[in-house]
Amino acid sequence: MPSASRPAVGTAPALSPVTRPSTVDLITVELRNAIYSGALRVGSGLREIEMARQLGVSRGAFREAAQRLVAEGIVVATPGRGLSVRTIGRDGIRPLYTARTMVETTAARLAVDRASEQQVAAVRSAHDALVQAEAAHDALRVGAADLAVHWELVAASGNAWLQQWMSTLIVEVRIASFTVSDEYTVRTDAAESHAPLVELLEARDADALEAAIRENLDDAVMRLLAPDAVGVQTLEEPRPLPAPRLEPLDR
């Protein structure tokens, strides 16, 4: 399971349980990561029997994990049709990013005031990973590294509630990106555009950091809703990905 502070590329940030994770915990993480990576496509059904067999778990455990994601809001239960990955269309983009803005700017102010040097260094390290991802010209990797910078910034606040909300918001951002376009698109200058977030945190400048976050997220909304109107070069990953194959869990 990825750690709370530094998720692997292609996995969704999540808070780690204090105790040893149960089978249901592991299934929940596996499904969330499959949705985050795009392996489980937006709008696609969760085939309980097949997926439980692939993971090597009971249908009851799989069903309980899926219901956790229903409660989280990234899986939808439809009477008569079962469970499916949520979709977030164009009308949901602005409300979603309004929520992100509230969480991230609140966390940023707390981080400026309270973050340890180690937490600030983790944000810098996440940005270094974004630089490396950009050099690889891999849109999905760049997107994951981009979100990791924002995640580390929220984590630097030290507020568990903000981190929990952000862990869901990040998956919803991926869902929205996969819903509104046949291609997953990122800026080719993502590292440069995120540099102020790191520098202003290091400078402990709360007002300027909040303004930079708002500008960064407003730009993301424009790229999702009106990509042709944004004058930046982009890198695309064609959709959809091949059908998912879940690996057995090591319990």
Side-chain angles (χ1 to χ4, degrees):
M1 181 176 181
S3 70
S5 61
R6 200 161 301 167
V9 172
T11 62
L15 299 179
S16 300
V18 175
T19 57
R20 186 176 185 274
S22 67
T23 298
V24 174
D25 292 329
L26 295 173
I27 299 168
T28 304
V29 170
E30 186 75 12
L31 292 177
R32 185 187 291 110
N33 288 342
I35 294 169
Y36 177 79
S37 70
L40 280 177
R41 303 185 188 101
V42 292
S44 66
L46 271 61
R47 302 179 300 279
E48 178 183 304
I49 298 175
E50 180 181 345
M51 290 183 175
R53 178 183 56 78
Q54 289 180 5
L55 291 168
V57 300
S58 70
R59 291 175 61 184
F62 182 91
R63 192 177 302 119
E64 182 177 347
Q67 287 300 325
R68 288 187 184 182
L69 298 184
V70 171
E72 193 173 318
I74 61 177
V75 168
V76 177
T78 304
R81 298 182 59 184
L83 301 173
S84 60
V85 179
R86 183 183 177 187
T87 59
I88 300 176
R90 295 173 63 84
D91 59 347
I93 298 295
R94 291 191 185 279
L96 171 60
Y97 272 79
T98 296
R100 266 194 78 179
T101 300
M102 292 299 293
V103 168
E104 293 192 36
T105 55
T106 300
R109 287 192 170 275
L110 290 173
V112 164
D113 185 50
R114 305 177 183 178
S116 66
E117 291 306 313
Q118 183 179 9
Q119 289 171 316
V120 173
V123 181
R124 170 61 70 182
S125 179
H127 186 265
D128 291 343
L130 177 56
V131 173
Q132 295 170 3
E134 196 171 273
H137 303 289
D138 182 326
L140 286 174
R141 181 178 170 188
V142 169
D146 171 327
L147 289 172
V149 172
H150 291 270
W151 166 256
E152 291 289 1
L153 186 55
V154 173
S157 73
N159 186 293
W161 280 273
L162 292 174
Q163 291 177 69
Q164 186 62 59
W165 296 332
M166 188 63 176
S167 70
T168 298
L169 285 168
I170 281 179
V171 180
E172 291 176 318
V173 166
R174 275 295 186 95
I175 289 173
S177 298
F178 294 152
T179 302
V180 301
S181 176
D182 291 334
E183 295 181 325
Y184 183 74
T185 305
V186 297
R187 296 177 59 144
T188 55
D189 65 344
E192 180 181 350
S193 69
H194 282 72
L197 306 188
V198 186
E199 294 164 358
L200 291 168
L201 175 62
E202 291 173 335
R204 305 284 179 164
D205 189 334
D207 290 340
L209 177 55
E210 177 176 340
I213 291 171
R214 290 183 182 277
E215 180 180 356
N216 183 280
L217 297 181
D218 286 346
D219 172 78
V221 170
M222 287 300 297
R223 284 187 290 109
L224 286 168
L225 295 179
D228 294 336
V230 180
V232 296
Q233 291 186 322
T234 57
L235 178 67
E236 294 80 27
E237 175 75 22
R239 316 291 305 158
L241 294 174
R245 171 72 188 181
L246 301 177
E247 297 299 324
L249 294 176
D250 181 15
R251 290 173 288 154

